[in-house]
Amino acid sequence: MINSLHLYISSYWENQKMNDMNMSSFPLRLPRSLKEELARVSQEDNTSMNQFITITIAEKLAMFKAEAFFEKRSQNANYDTFDRLMNRDHGEPPRPGDELF
């Protein structure tokens, strides 16, 4: 997943003119052990630590947005209709791999 997101962000950045107007810096203090682990993992992923942190923040923000989206959508759920649909007489059995455990 990190590699596909890395490719997406890399291609986005390549298509954008990166200048001081759309980039900012943020001093970050990390515990030494966390920085060492970050250096190791980012090297394994063939990225800089800065790029790895940027990708990680983008993933986390996307997760928060997705969570908020589904939370909002769930407020419109009609569980009675769902139950009627799931218990209808003319349904078909689950396909292989779709069974409940």
Side-chain angles (χ1 to χ4, degrees):
M1 170 133 163
I2 289 176
N3 286 334
S4 61
L5 186 58
H6 166 64
L7 290 174
Y8 170 78
I9 290 175
S10 294
S11 64
Y12 172 79
W13 282 0
E14 288 170 10
N15 292 327
Q16 301 293 317
K17 291 185 180 185
M18 302 307 285
N19 59 41
D20 290 342
M21 299 273 303
N22 59 8
M23 295 289 289
S24 63
S25 62
F26 179 78
L28 179 63
R29 296 175 60 100
L30 294 173
R32 183 172 290 120
S33 60
L34 187 57
K35 183 179 180 280
E36 290 169 357
E37 184 69 10
L38 171 63
R40 185 187 65 75
V41 172
S42 63
Q43 185 175 17
E44 287 176 5
D45 199 44
N46 295 320
T47 62
S48 67
M49 290 193 302
N50 187 66
Q51 191 169 18
F52 190 86
I53 291 169
T54 301
I55 291 167
T56 303
I57 291 170
E59 287 178 341
K60 189 69 168 185
L61 292 173
M63 189 262 325
F64 283 139
K65 285 184 176 184
E67 183 180 22
F69 171 80
F70 287 114
E71 176 64 30
K72 186 175 180 181
R73 290 290 306 250
S74 72
Q75 293 171 0
N76 297 329
N78 184 324
Y79 294 106
D80 292 333
T81 301
F82 175 78
D83 287 338
R84 280 197 310 275
L85 177 66
M86 295 305 290
N87 294 317
R88 68 186 187 274
D89 292 333
H90 296 58
E92 59 185 63
R95 295 178 184 160
D98 286 345
E99 303 90 355
L100 293 175
F101 297 102

